[in-house]
Amino acid sequence: AEVGAVVLAAVWALAFTSMGWMVGRTTRALGWHPRVHELPFMVGLVVVGIAVYFIARRRHLEDRTVEMLDAE
């Protein structure tokens, strides 16, 4: 299982690195400058990540509350 996890991690790393490289090359070919949009994009990703965390946490808390109330 550990070897599979290492291989899968390497595949994911290669995939995301390749996609990032392709996006960068494409934006430059279109005349855009990726560094100009890098900060707003990263801030957007962080905001979306935080929102997903709180939504998932809220749902989990709701499920646990229902389980606790049903147990009584």
Side-chain angles (χ1 to χ4, degrees):
E2 291 179 19
V3 174
V6 170
V7 170
L8 190 58
V11 168
W12 276 104
L14 181 62
F16 278 98
T17 301
S18 299
M19 285 187 283
W21 183 79
M22 287 186 277
V23 168
R25 297 278 292 187
T26 302
T27 56
R28 283 194 165 187
L30 293 173
W32 300 343
H33 297 284
R35 290 189 189 261
V36 173
H37 304 288
E38 189 172 323
L39 182 61
F41 181 71
M42 292 306 292
V43 169
L45 282 178
V46 169
V47 169
V48 168
I50 291 170
V52 167
Y53 169 77
F54 281 111
I55 291 169
R57 184 170 183 240
R58 182 175 167 187
R59 286 187 180 173
H60 180 67
L61 288 176
E62 289 173 357
D63 291 343
R64 282 195 354 208
T65 303
V66 168
E67 289 173 7
M68 286 175 32
L69 291 175
D70 284 344
E72 292 178 356

